[in-house]
Amino acid sequence: MKLTYRVEEGARLGALLWEFGPGWRMISSAMLGGGIGVREWVLNAQVVAGYARMDPVEHLTSLGPGGSGGSGGSGVGMMTAASVDRYVRASDGGVEAVATVGLRVPTWAAAPEGTEDPELAPMRVGTINIVTVLPVAMTDAALVNLVMTVTEAKSQALIEAGYPCTGTASDAVCVAVPLDGPEELFGGPRSEWGARAARAVHTAVRRGAGAWRPGDFK
């Protein structure tokens, strides 16, 4: 993982890039490269808090390793208005989790119809992004289960940190696993690898939530 900076709209913005290369499969909720498939890199890009571009996929592609030409292979791209240089990394039993945490608009998942988060930018920019890397292959079902586990661990960490929320309205997640090898069938919080992922994510998000401050939004 490497951290780089660029200037857009007069602001200095960071980006975290993982260049995995061939041989990896990922599941993600991101706009770029979302779903389940073979991917070679992951980008977590900081954008301005009032982000209003209507071409986020193209924008993320241009920030990836292949640039606007798209020659860097298939990847996952996420956005956040939080300062990505304040990322938090945690590991457990061979699982690594990296979280960028912004909590300007903490939100409960189940809210009354019509409830609005007035501080959200016109383009809903994720404020808690999590990348989790495991050293074992997984079935599609196990990957879906693992996304549930990661999300549950995130919410547990936020509540324990004193935030009355399950996350924000636009969080994103990415889980990366090797393409080859015996496939794990389970990714729940009481499975071997799910439990390790849960602890790593919980630690990263808890630390990030404890260190968060409004000034993280540039």
Side-chain angles (χ1 to χ4, degrees), residues 5-14 46-51 80-86 101-102 104 121 125 127 212-218:
Y5 292 93
R6 70 191 190 282
V7 176
E8 285 184 5
E9 300 183 34
R12 185 172 183 261
L13 305 171
Q46 181 186 355
V47 296
V48 294
Y51 189 82
T80 179
S83 297
V84 299
D85 54 7
R86 303 195 69 231
V101 179
R104 184 174 57 166
V125 180
T127 52
W212 182 82
R213 57 178 183 256
D216 290 341
F217 287 87
K218 304 302 183 184

Side-chain angles (χ1 to χ4, degrees), residues 111-127:
E113 184 177 0
T115 300
E116 296 183 359
D117 293 316
E119 293 185 62
L120 285 176
M123 181 65 68
R124 289 188 166 186
V125 180
T127 52

Side-chain angles (χ1 to χ4, degrees), residues 83-173:
S83 297
V84 299
D85 54 7
R86 303 195 69 231
Y87 68 88
V88 181
R89 173 186 281 155
S91 60
D92 190 292
V95 178
E96 181 176 83
V98 177
T100 53
V101 179
L103 286 162
R104 184 174 57 166
V105 191
T107 304
W108 290 112
E113 184 177 0
T115 300
E116 296 183 359
D117 293 316
E119 293 185 62
L120 285 176
M123 181 65 68
R124 289 188 166 186
V125 180
T127 52
I128 303 175
N129 288 343
I130 302 170
V131 176
T132 308
V133 184
L134 289 84
V136 293
M138 290 192 149
T139 65
D140 285 357
L143 285 173
V144 173
N145 203 178
L146 195 60
V147 168
M148 293 171 57
T149 298
V150 167
T151 304
E152 290 167 359
K154 174 197 71 175
S155 296
Q156 178 184 342
L158 294 173
I159 293 169
E160 289 179 358
Y163 289 91
C165 68
T166 50
T168 80
S170 47
D171 296 344
V173 62

Side-chain angles (χ1 to χ4, degrees), residues 10-80:
R12 185 172 183 261
L13 305 171
L16 296 173
L17 177 65
W18 291 256
E19 294 186 90
F20 291 91
W24 289 84
R25 203 160 74 101
M26 303 183 191
I27 181 170
S28 178
S29 62
M31 288 182 288
L32 173 63
I36 300 177
V38 176
R39 305 285 186 265
E40 296 186 12
W41 50 269
V42 178
L43 175 73
N44 186 10
Q46 181 186 355
V47 296
V48 294
Y51 189 82
R53 288 182 58 157
M54 300 306 294
D55 61 343
V57 172
E58 290 78 6
H59 187 196
L60 285 166
T61 300
S62 72
L63 298 176
S68 58
S71 59
S74 179
V76 170
M78 303 181 287
M79 290 181 171
T80 179

